[in-house]
Amino acid sequence: MLLGRAAEQAEIDGVLADAAAGISRSLVIRGEAGIGKSALVEYAAAAPGVRVVRGGGVESEAELAFGALHLLLYPYLDRLEGLPGPQSAALRAAFGQIEGPEANRFLVGAATLTLLAELAAETPTLVLIDDAQWLDRSSSDALLFAARRFHADPIAVIFAVRETVPPFMTPGLETLRLDGLPSAAATALLDERAPGLTVPGRTRVLTESAGNPLALIELGTARRDAERAGHADPVHEVGPLPVARRVQESFRTQIAGLPAGTRTLLLVAAADVGAGVDTILRVAGAFDLTAADLEPAEQAGLVALSTDRLTFRHPLIRAAAYQQASHHQRIMVHRRYADALTRPEHADRRAWHLAAATTEPDERVAAELEDTARRAQHRGGAMAVSAAYDRAGRLSVDPAQRARRLLLAARAAYDAGRPDRATRLAAEAAALTDDNGIAADATHIRAQVEYERTSPAADAALALTAAELVVDDDPVRAVFILTEAVCCARDAGRRDLLERAVGQLKSLDLPDDSPLLPHVAAQIAWADLLAGRCDPAVDAMAAQVREARTGTADYLHEVVAAFSGVLLADDASAAAVMDTAADRARAAGAVQWIPYIMEPLALAQLLGGAFLDAETSVAEGVSLGAELGMDTQVAVLRAVSVWTAAVAGHEDRSRALAADIGPLLTERHPVHAALVSWGLAIGDLSAGRFDPALELLDEICSGTVAYDFLLRSVPDHVEAAVRGARTERAAAHLPAFEQWARRGGAPQAAALLHRCHALLAASDDAAEEHYLAALRLHDGVYHRARTQLVFGEWLRRRRRRTEARTQLLAATTGFDRVGARLWADRARVELAALGKPQAAQHSDPIELLTPQELQVVRLAAAGHSNKEIGARLFLSPRTVGHHLYKAYPKLGVARRIELAQLVL
C-alpha cells in the first residue's frame, strides 16, 4: 500500500481501465527525485490482466542511439518480420542488426508504434518507462511518436520523469505531477521506517523532507542513527539544500563509511550502469578487487547483485558513488573500461569511456568518436550523432578538424529538432575556420533555425549570406541555399531579398547538362512573376512543373515546383506533384518534409475548389508540424482553414482561427496573412456582405504580395465591387490579372477572366458571351458554380426566369456538392426570388468524415489493408479499423467493398 497516494493510484487505475476497454491513454508522472514516481510505476506494473513491457533510461547510455528502445523491445525482436518492410528494416538498422541505408528515425517511431500495437492486439498492454529523463534522444523520440498515435488500441503508456534542467518534454501527453506526501501520510511513513526518533528530530525530518518519501526514509534513518550515536545535528542536514541534494548527501555519508575497496567497486559500477556483472568484475580486477568487495554495499542495502546485473537501489546512490570519487579515480576507471571493451559490438561504449578518460585534445580518441557518430547516423539517432561529433570536435587537435566535426554536430542537432544547440554549434564551427564551405553550411543551419524562431525574412537574409560564400566555388551547394532564400523571401513578401537571391542565381556557373538548370531558371522567373512581369516568367515555371511531374526531383525542388504550379493556376499539376511527394515521404519516413509538402498541396486543393481535400491535407500537416515544433509552418497551414471554414459557413470558427494566427502571420509570413484576409473576405462575399468584402480584397490586391497566388483574388474583388454597386473600383486590379490569365494559359484562369469581363460588360450581349465562355472553360465544380450563380443573378434581373432558374439550380447543386454552404444559401435566396424556393440539400456524405477518417476511407477504397494504411499514415492498424468503424454509418455503407464506388 502506498501511503498518501490514493488519488494518484486512482488515476493510474483509470488509465489502465480505459486501455483495457480499447481507449489508449498515455500518462507522464513527473516529480523530483525520491518523490515516489518509481513506487507508482511498481503499482502499475502489478496490475492484473495486462502484459507489461518495461524499460527505462540509463544516464550513462544517454548518448547511445536507440539503446533504451533496444532494451525495451529486445524480448519481441522475433516479431520484426511481421512489420511493414520499411519499418522492419528501419528498426533492424537502428538496433545494428543489418547493414544498409541510414535508419530513418520517424520510421523507427512508426515501427515502434506497429510492434507495440500488435502486442496490444493480443492482450491489453502496459508500456512502463522509468527514469525517462535519461532516455537517449532517439529512443524517447520513437516512444513519444508512438504514444501520441495510439488511439483505439488496448494499450497504456506510462512515463516516470524526474524534473531536470533542461526538462524532458512530453507535449501532447497527460501529466500527473507528484508533490510531497500529505502531513498525515508523511508522519505515518516516518514512524514506520525510522521509529524511535526524538520529538525535535522527528519534527526536523518532517519539515525538511517536505513530504518527499525517499527523504523521509533516508533522512529519518540517518537522524535516528545520529541520535543513537550521540550526534545531535548530522552535517548532511545542515544548510538550505534541495531535498534531492540532501538525500544524495545522506547516501554519500553511507558510502563514505564503506571500505575503500567497496567504494572503488561501487565507482566502477556507477561509471557504466549498462555494463554486465562480468564486465564490472573484469574492470574491478584491474584494481585487485573481486565480488567479495561488494558485500558491505549489499549488506547496507545500497546495491543488489544478480547473476548478470548489478542494480543500485536508487539512481541517487549511483550518482553519489560516482561523485564522491576524485577526478583522478574516475579517469582511471574509464580507462580500465576502455581497455576491457575490446569486442566490435562494444566500440561505441569504448569510445565514450575513452572520451571520459581524456582531458586534453587527442586525435585518436576523436577519430573513434567520429566513427561512433557515423554508426549512430546509420541507426538514425540524430542526437547521438550530434553528441559524438561534438565531443570529437572538442578532442580534435587540428582546428580544421574541430570545425568540421562541430559543424556535423550542428547539422545533426538541427535534424534532431534542437535548434538552440544547432545554432550554438554552427556559430562555434564558423568561428574556428576560414573555410568558406564550412562557414556557408554553418550560416545555412542558422538560417533554417530562423525560419521558425524569427521569420522567413531572417532565414532568407542569412541564406543569402551563406550563398555568397560558395557562389563561385561550389555552385551546386549555392543552388540549394539560394532556393531556400528565394522561397523565404517570397513568403516574407521581401522583393529586395528576392532580387538579391535571383542576382546570385544568375551569376552561377553551372554545367550545360546540370539537372538543376530548369530549377534555377524557374526561381529566376519567380522574381519576374511576383513583380508583375508575366511574359518572361511563365515558360520557365511551366517547364519546372512538367519536370517535377516526372518524379525525379528531390523534395525541395518538388515543393518549389508545386508552388510554381499554384502561381500559374495549374492546380492539378501542383497537386499531382505533391501527392506523389507525400506518398514518397510517408513511405520513407521523411516526416519533417510532410508539413512543407502539405502547404502547396492544400493551396492547390483550396484554389481548385476541393475544400475537403484541402482540410485533410492541412490536418495531416498540422498534426506532424505541431509535433516537430514548426510553429510558423503550423500557422501557415491553418491559414488555409480560415478559408475552408468560411466557405463551409463556419464563420465563427473562421474568425476565431483568423484572430488566433493572424498576428503571427502578419509579423512573419505576409503571404499567408493575406490568405487569412482572403478567407474572411470569402465569408463576407458569400453571405452577401459586399462592402466589408471589398475593403478586405482591396487591401489584398494592393498589398506587397498582390502578385503572388493572391492575384487570384481579383475576380472576387470584381464581384464584390459590382454586386456592392461600387463599379468604379471594380476594374482597379483587373489589368494585372488579365495579363497573368492570358499569359499563364490555365483554363481556370481564362474562365475567371471571362467572368470578370461579364460582370463589367457594357452590353448584355457582351456579358452573356463572356458568361458562356467562362462556363465552357471551367474545369472545377466550385468555380463553375460561382459563375453559374452570378450568371443566374444576371439572368433573373433581366427577367429571363427559366434560364436563370437553370443556372441557379446548377449552382446550388455544385455548391452543395463541395460543401460551400453560404454560397448555396445565396443561390437559394435567388431561387426564392424566382418563386421557386429550394430546401437545403443533404451534402455529400463524404463531408461528414473527419480529415483523418477521409484519408483512411480513401486508402481503404483503393484496396489497402489496415496494416498498409497504418504504415502510410503513422497509425496503428487497430486505429485504422476504428476510423473505418466510425466512417461506415456516416457513409451509409456496411462493407469495405462498398467504399470504392462511393469514394473513388
Side-chain angles (χ1 to χ4, degrees), residues 25-327:
R25 284 180 64 187
S26 297
L27 182 68
V28 181
I29 304 174
R30 288 187 175 274
E32 65 182 359
I35 201 67
K37 303 180 298 296
S38 294
L40 287 172
V41 166
E42 294 299 333
Y43 172 78
V50 297
R51 182 206 309 264
V52 178
V53 179
R54 191 164 184 174
V58 177
E59 189 175 12
S60 63
E61 297 187 357
E63 309 301 348
L64 299 178
F66 295 111
L69 188 67
H70 188 209
L71 288 175
L72 179 77
L73 299 181
Y74 185 79
Y76 310 105
L77 295 185
D78 59 329
R79 297 169 178 258
L80 295 188
E81 290 296 338
L83 300 182
Q87 293 183 11
S88 176
L91 210 51
R92 290 184 188 280
F95 295 161
Q97 293 185 340
I98 60 171
E99 295 293 330
E102 176 183 331
N104 180 285
R105 62 190 177 110
F106 296 110
L107 276 181
V108 173
T112 302
L113 166 75
T114 305
L115 179 55
L116 292 174
E118 290 191 353
L119 294 177
E122 297 172 357
T123 185
T125 297
L126 169 62
V127 180
L128 282 176
I129 307 295
D130 205 356
D131 288 320
Q133 75 280 353
W134 288 332
L135 289 171
D136 62 275
R137 179 64 183 265
S138 306
S139 295
S140 67
D141 283 349
L143 288 167
L144 290 171
F145 185 90
R148 281 190 285 264
R149 281 166 176 74
F150 291 123
H151 179 67
D153 301 276
I155 191 167
V157 184
I158 295 180
F159 296 91
V161 179
R162 184 197 298 184
E163 297 294 10
T164 55
V165 178
F168 178 77
M169 304 301 292
T170 54
L173 302 186
E174 298 178 58
T175 297
L176 175 62
R177 200 168 297 278
L178 294 186
D179 297 318
L181 294 176
S183 176
T187 301
L189 179 62
L190 180 61
D191 290 345
E192 175 189 321
R193 302 300 291 271
L197 281 171
T198 64
V199 172
R202 185 169 178 268
T203 301
R204 181 165 187 180
V205 171
L206 286 170
T207 300
E208 297 195 6
S209 66
N212 182 298
L214 184 63
L216 283 162
I217 295 169
E218 298 300 333
L219 297 183
T221 302
R223 180 73 190 202
R224 182 194 60 193
D225 294 344
E227 288 180 350
R228 289 175 178 174
H231 302 299
D233 209 340
V235 173
H236 63 267
E237 290 188 37
V238 177
L241 300 174
V243 167
R245 180 76 174 275
R246 284 206 190 106
V247 175
Q248 190 163 312
E249 290 298 320
S250 177
F251 290 139
R252 282 187 182 182
T253 300
Q254 294 180 56
I255 293 169
L258 297 172
T262 304
R263 293 198 304 271
T264 300
L265 214 162
L266 285 179
L267 170 61
V268 170
D272 191 338
V273 76
V277 170
D278 58 339
T279 303
I280 291 173
L281 293 178
R282 190 160 66 252
V283 174
F287 297 95
D288 296 324
L289 300 172
T290 67
D293 291 290
L294 195 64
E295 187 174 346
E298 289 185 274
Q299 291 177 346
L302 297 175
V303 297
L305 185 64
S306 64
T307 55
D308 60 347
R309 278 329 257 187
L310 188 153
T311 307
F312 287 91
R313 176 163 59 85
H314 192 277
L316 288 180
I317 299 174
R318 175 181 175 253
Y322 190 79
Q323 292 168 8
Q324 59 85 33
S326 69
H327 184 58

Side-chain angles (χ1 to χ4, degrees), residues 529-619:
L529 187 77
L530 297 175
R533 301 185 296 269
C534 296
D535 283 343
V538 169
D539 290 341
M541 291 170 64
Q544 182 191 35
V545 176
R546 288 193 299 272
E547 175 70 19
R549 293 204 68 167
T550 66
T552 58
D554 55 82
Y555 290 123
L556 173 62
H557 287 111
E558 282 180 323
V559 168
V560 172
F563 275 118
S564 288
V566 170
L567 290 168
L568 296 177
D570 188 0
D571 300 322
S573 292
V577 170
M578 289 296 89
D579 274 330
T580 301
D583 284 344
R584 198 168 74 253
R586 294 185 193 108
V591 174
Q592 70 274 25
W593 273 102
I594 291 178
Y596 296 115
I597 289 170
M598 290 301 139
E599 181 187 349
L601 177 58
L603 281 173
Q605 291 163 336
L606 173 77
L607 298 173
F611 305 122
L612 190 56
D613 289 343
E615 193 59 31
T616 300
S617 298
V618 167

